[in-house]
Amino acid sequence: MSQKPINFRHLSTLVAVAILVGTELVGASWAAGWALGGLFQLDPLVSRAFEAIFALAGFVGLYFFMRTAVKNEPIRG
């Protein structure tokens, strides 16, 4: 059973999209956690927890985005 060769054009596109969308999505969600902590004048520890939760949500969103991107632009083939 032979595998198809790697399409480096698709691979480079997916890497570029992961960097661009990942930076935007994780950065914006992290900033939202920071902003909510400051807006409600929360304790710094609680504010950091908000940042971590929102950043985790950003990473989950990036995972689902990349999963869909790889389905639409496969690396092999």
Side-chain angles (χ1 to χ4, degrees):
M1 186 166 127
S2 64
Q3 291 183 340
K4 295 179 181 178
I6 293 176
N7 186 334
F8 286 102
R9 180 175 287 163
H10 289 185
L11 180 64
S12 66
T13 301
L14 289 171
V15 168
V17 166
I19 292 169
L20 178 66
V21 173
T23 303
E24 294 286 334
L25 191 58
V26 174
S29 59
W30 196 311
W34 170 81
L36 286 176
L39 181 67
F40 295 122
Q41 297 178 349
L42 299 174
D43 186 63
L45 183 62
V46 176
S47 182
R48 296 284 187 243
F50 263 100
E51 291 175 27
I53 291 168
F54 276 75
L56 183 62
F59 280 115
V60 169
L62 177 62
Y63 168 75
F64 284 113
F65 177 82
M66 288 306 298
R67 193 172 72 171
T68 303
V70 170
K71 282 182 189 175
N72 290 312
E73 189 146 346
I75 296 172
R76 293 199 181 267

